Amino acid sequence: MTDDDDMTVFSDKRQKRVKITAWIVIGALVLTGGGATVISLILG
């Protein structure tokens, strides 16, 4: 059972890191102007 607990902790940490990385990438795109295209695609 401890292996499962270790994996959930690892998964939570990894998921948090992925979310942070995604937001940084999105922020960088918006700041550099490349985000305008992405936003227009998302909003239609």
Side-chain angles (χ1 to χ4, degrees), residues 25-39:
V25 170
I26 291 169
L29 283 173
V30 171
L31 287 176
T32 57
T37 308
V38 175
I39 291 171

Side-chain angles (χ1 to χ4, degrees), residues 1-3 5 9 15 18 21-25 28-30 34 36 38-39 41:
M1 293 299 277
T2 55
D3 289 342
D5 293 339
V9 170
Q15 211 148 13
V18 168
T21 304
W23 278 114
I24 290 172
V25 170
L29 283 173
V30 171
V38 175
I39 291 171
L41 284 173

